[in-house]
Amino acid sequence: MKTLLLTGFVPFLDNPINPTEVIVKALDGQTLGHYQVVSRVLPVDFSESAVKLEQYMDEVEPDVVISLGLAAGRTKITPERIAINCRDGAADNQGVKLQDAPIAEDGPAGYFSTLPIRAFVDALNEANYPATISNTAGTYLCNNVMYAALRKIERDGTKIRAGFVHIPASHELAVQNPKLPSWSSRDLEEAIATIIKVLD
Ligand code: PCA
């Protein structure tokens, strides 16, 4: 049995619920396909999120890392293709707001996901869950943790596969913020289970 580190985030900005936190807690400890799932929840904090993820990777020693983030407003499950060396955008949960700031001064411009993102999308669509590859993870915390995980793997010289998947709002979140398109938490959870089962 292999180990999969599945991460979500705490609530942030005007989202009082983060469905990724709900999903990762629901899947924690489950066996899906070839993987035992170990879940962790990350802070939304420019100085802490990547540090925590790297600690969890050292502690859990996963074969695969899938990090989940809420992309409020998106209508589909969107595996991310690339993380870029940039931090920008809204303030984090500590009130820290960065502009045009690199994640790693000496790092490459970007890292491609090493997850089978095309197979994820195909399996999701096959199961009637709308999904498409996204070509931008943005410049906020989600992009930051994806970049950090892939950089750590490169630095450590390990064979861990890692990447990021953005998900739409849940109905529970949309009740609080009615302009958001939303999915049921059950479907979000089942969709993430579906992509984990794709992994060899
Ligand atoms: N989504 C944010 C950060 C936390 C989350 O769930 C993002 O897309 O960067």
Side-chain angles (χ1 to χ4, degrees):
M1 186 61 55
K2 299 187 204 175
T3 304
L4 182 136
L5 174 60
L6 183 66
T7 72
F9 279 105
V10 299
F12 64 104
L13 296 174
D14 56 353
N15 306 297
I17 297 168
N18 194 326
T20 66
E21 179 174 18
V22 178
I23 292 173
V24 304
K25 286 183 174 166
L27 295 177
D28 190 24
Q30 289 195 28
T31 301
L32 297 168
H34 303 293
Y35 290 82
Q36 172 92 32
V37 178
V38 177
S39 298
R40 295 286 184 270
V41 178
L42 299 173
V44 175
D45 180 328
F46 279 115
S47 65
E48 275 296 312
S49 301
V51 176
K52 285 273 183 230
L53 177 58
E54 292 186 31
Q55 276 174 11
Y56 294 144
M57 288 170 70
D58 286 335
E59 171 201 320
V60 174
E61 298 184 342
D63 299 282
V64 174
V65 181
I66 299 182
S67 296
L68 303 180
L70 166 68
R74 285 193 190 170
T75 56
K76 299 179 179 183
I77 303 278
T78 46
E80 297 294 343
R81 193 189 300 274
I82 188 165
I84 61 171
N85 190 5
C86 180
R87 294 180 293 178
D88 198 299
D92 69 12
N93 283 355
Q94 300 302 320
V96 173
K97 189 169 159 49
L98 298 176
Q99 205 173 42
D100 309 328
I103 295 169
E105 290 286 352
D106 55 345
Y111 285 103
F112 285 113
S113 175
T114 50
L115 299 176
I117 55 174
R118 181 66 61 193
F120 282 178
V121 166
D122 290 348
L124 287 165
N125 287 334
E126 182 73 19
N128 295 323
Y129 292 120
T132 192
I133 290 174
S134 162
N135 293 310
T136 174
T139 50
Y140 196 49
L141 272 308
C142 295
N143 174 72
N144 194 156
V145 301
M146 178 176 169
Y147 187 97
L150 290 161
R151 181 165 164 77
K152 173 176 170 54
I153 291 162
E154 181 183 68
R155 269 199 327 252
D156 293 352
T158 54
K159 297 254 179 299
I160 303 171
R161 288 178 291 164
F164 201 94
V165 179
H166 266 118
I167 67 165
S170 59
H171 292 333
E172 290 83 352
L173 176 55
V175 165
Q176 316 243 15
N177 190 346
K179 291 208 179 95
L180 292 178
S182 59
W183 286 32
S184 74
S185 292
R186 197 175 48 242
D187 281 350
L188 288 171
E189 189 184 319
E190 196 49 46
I192 299 308
T194 299
I195 64 172
I196 295 172
K197 289 181 196 157
V198 166
L199 294 165
D200 57 18

